[in-house]
């Protein structure tokens, strides 16, 4: 056999072997990370910044600690707009995102590679349709966004204020819910589901979304859900997710079917947690 051809075959075989081994190595690495100790000072930060963390059972806290370790190790955090990132910032964001992984799906927001953190509201271009098929580019202030191409953007001041006040939603939960939605393609308000669950999901979420839209059109407030959820089904899923984790008892009381679908998907029951802590 030609020497150059043999070398080429060996190189290709090595690359294929490395590619096949990578998922196994990643699982092993995550297994180790999930079992790393969670320092007491990290617990203090989460107790201070996340009321939802204080309410969680100890068993789920232990799982959350491991998931947080993985996200801290695998995601690239970047300070923007002059912000100098601190460990508190990275930990607070990673722990909130990890809340959405408690269902044991085994995926860690595979499309998201970077988390961009601004000190406060930031300006970004917005494309607005105009008459005649034209599109006008404008500038608008934003607090956060999720890019299917690989990034989540958040405002630290806004997310910290929301994180510490249970009456509000959660910017991090909202944007990472979009990441779950975008795992299947474009954000449409339907994350990765089994066929039977998907049918039930579409029925319940479709009905609840249309109900919220009608309320907004009639200038009526919903008792729990923010009106921003009436923007489109993707935003409804994100708003419902943050409400599920931050105001679960109220959501269950007012929108019981919606709550139960979210509980099946996330495999937790936050309405039963100890919110008096």
């Amino acid at each position: 056999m030609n020497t150059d051809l043999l070398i080429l075959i060996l190189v290709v075989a090595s690359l294929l072997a490395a590619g096949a081994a990578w998922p196994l190595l990643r699982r092993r690495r995550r297994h180790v990370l999930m079992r790393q100790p969670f320092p007491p000072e990290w617990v203090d930060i989460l107790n201070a910044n996340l009321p939802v963390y204080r309410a969680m059972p100890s068993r789920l806290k232990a799982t959350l600690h491991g998931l947080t370790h993985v996200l801290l190790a695998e995601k690239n955090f970047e300070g923007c707009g002059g912000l100098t990132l601190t460990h508190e910032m990275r930990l607070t964001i990673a722990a909130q995102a990890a809340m959405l992984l408690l269902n044991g799906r085994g995926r860690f927001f595979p499309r998201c590679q970077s988390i961009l953190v601004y000190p406060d509201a930031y300006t970004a271009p917005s494309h607005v349709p105009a008459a005649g098929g034209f599109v006008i580019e404008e500038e608008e202030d934003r607090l956060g966004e999720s890019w299917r191409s690989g990034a989540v953007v958040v405002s630290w001041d806004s997310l910290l204020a929301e994180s510490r006040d249970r009456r509000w939603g959660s910017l991090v939960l909202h944007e990472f819910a979009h990441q779950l939605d975008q795992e299947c393609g474009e954000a449409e308000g339907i994350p990765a589901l089994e066929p039977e669950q998907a049918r039930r999901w579409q029925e319940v979420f479709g009905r609840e979304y249309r109900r919220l839209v009608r309320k907004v059109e009639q200038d009526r407030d919903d008792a729990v859900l923010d009106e921003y959820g009436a923007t489109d089904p993707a935003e409804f899923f994100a708003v419902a997710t943050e409400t599920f984790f931050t105001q679960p008892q109220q959501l269950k009381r007012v929108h019981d079917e919606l709550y139960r679908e979210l509980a099946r998907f996330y495999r937790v029951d936050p309405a039963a947690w100890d919110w008096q802590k």
Side-chain angles (χ1 to χ4, degrees), residues 23 48 59 69 91 108 182 186 193 196 206-207 255 260 264 276:
R59 173 185 59 83
H69 273 305
L91 177 62
F108 290 83
Q182 291 164 334
E186 296 296 332
L193 300 165
E196 183 58 38
R207 181 170 61 248
H255 299 279
R260 282 187 277 128
R264 288 190 188 99
Q276 300 305 312

Side-chain angles (χ1 to χ4, degrees), residues 15-253:
L15 291 173
L16 290 173
W22 168 241
L24 177 60
L25 293 173
R26 183 174 57 192
R27 284 196 297 272
R28 287 179 177 174
R29 180 171 180 266
R30 287 174 174 174
H31 180 81
V32 172
L33 287 168
M34 289 282 291
R35 282 154 181 76
Q36 283 188 353
F38 205 77
E41 56 270 27
W42 292 22
V43 172
D44 292 341
I45 290 173
L46 297 189
N47 277 326
N49 291 350
L50 303 178
V52 63
Y53 175 79
R54 298 196 298 269
M56 293 173 64
S58 298
R59 173 185 59 83
L60 285 180
K61 285 182 180 179
T63 302
L64 186 77
H65 294 167
L67 296 168
T68 301
H69 273 305
V70 174
L71 291 178
L72 287 171
E74 294 189 357
K75 305 305 178 185
N76 177 44
F77 291 76
E78 299 179 28
C80 304
L83 179 69
T84 300
L85 276 176
T86 65
H87 176 68
E88 177 189 7
M89 295 174 182
R90 297 173 70 251
L91 177 62
T92 300
I93 294 169
Q96 287 188 74
M99 296 288 300
L100 305 187
L101 305 177
L102 289 169
N103 57 8
R105 296 165 63 251
R107 296 170 65 83
F108 290 83
F109 308 110
R111 289 187 178 274
C112 177
Q113 303 303 315
S114 296
I115 300 168
L116 312 181
V117 188
Y118 282 85
D120 44 36
Y122 59 95
T123 302
S126 175
H127 298 89
V128 181
F134 293 100
V135 175
I136 300 174
E137 183 171 301
E138 299 178 346
E139 297 288 322
E140 67 177 15
D141 291 337
R142 296 181 183 176
L143 299 179
E145 56 193 301
S146 172
W147 300 346
R148 186 181 169 216
S149 58
V152 165
V153 189
V154 293
S155 156
W156 171 249
D157 283 355
S158 298
L159 77 85
L160 186 62
E162 291 183 350
S163 298
R164 289 178 172 176
D165 191 337
R166 188 189 156 204
R167 295 170 298 174
W168 292 14
S170 167
L171 181 61
V172 175
L173 292 176
H174 185 105
E175 301 306 338
F176 277 93
H178 283 316
Q179 283 291 311
L180 295 180
D181 196 357
Q182 291 164 334
E183 285 183 20
C184 302
E186 296 296 332
E188 298 177 332
I190 306 175
L193 300 165
E194 295 297 325
E196 183 58 38
Q197 187 180 7
R199 286 191 289 273
R200 175 67 178 167
W201 182 280
Q202 289 176 295
E203 176 187 337
V204 173
F205 268 72
R207 181 170 61 248
E208 293 286 349
Y209 168 65
R210 291 189 295 273
R211 183 178 301 169
L212 182 61
V213 170
R214 285 195 299 271
K215 286 184 177 181
V216 171
E217 291 174 344
Q218 296 167 4
D219 200 25
R220 294 189 295 127
D221 290 334
D222 186 85
V224 186
L225 296 169
D226 189 279
E227 66 177 19
Y228 189 64
T231 304
D232 57 45
E235 294 300 346
F236 182 78
F237 169 52
V239 166
T241 289
E242 56 178 314
T243 308
F244 175 74
F245 282 103
T246 60
Q247 301 181 67
Q249 294 163 329
Q250 297 92 320
L251 183 66
K252 185 176 183 179
R253 183 176 64 253

